[in-house]
Amino acid sequence: MQQEKQPDYHAVVFRDRAAGFAFLTRSTATSERTIEWDDGETYPVVDVEISSESHPFYTGKARTVDSEGRIAQFEKRYGNSGPAGDEKNTA
């Protein structure tokens, strides 16, 4: 493998400013800003808009779709023919 063509892979802190959450990982992302981490080392910090700490899916605050409303809308548009086995075949 040609080393001069590979991106620099180094330790980076990703910080979710909305949730006040940060984690240290390795990445090719770069930043001019730095932060002193718990281990006393200084790492580049990349601010992100959303992470697992603030995403509605992972926090359990995701909205659910009202499926009853969708069914009522379907029946209003196409009519209610009942369960599939109730219709009599006249052929």
Side-chain angles (χ1 to χ4, degrees):
M1 210 183 284
Q2 297 176 356
Q3 292 298 324
E4 62 272 0
K5 291 188 177 182
Q6 299 300 317
D8 182 31
Y9 190 66
H10 54 277
V12 178
V13 174
F14 285 94
R15 178 173 54 186
D16 183 352
R17 305 277 316 229
F21 175 71
F23 59 94
L24 177 65
T25 188
R26 295 182 55 82
S27 175
T28 59
T30 59
S31 175
E32 297 295 322
R33 292 177 294 209
T34 60
I35 189 171
E36 185 172 334
W37 196 243
D38 298 335
D39 61 2
E41 296 289 325
T42 302
Y43 300 103
V45 62
V46 176
D47 291 327
V48 294
E49 293 182 21
I50 196 159
S51 70
S52 61
E53 288 292 315
S54 61
H55 193 281
F57 179 79
Y58 296 110
T59 59
K61 296 180 181 176
R63 296 186 312 172
T64 57
V65 177
D66 181 19
S67 62
E68 184 179 18
R70 287 186 172 193
I71 293 170
Q73 184 180 8
F74 178 85
E75 288 175 350
K76 178 181 170 188
R77 182 177 293 164
Y78 299 107
N80 185 4
S81 61
D86 286 352
E87 293 183 21
K88 298 199 185 230
N89 191 354
T90 57

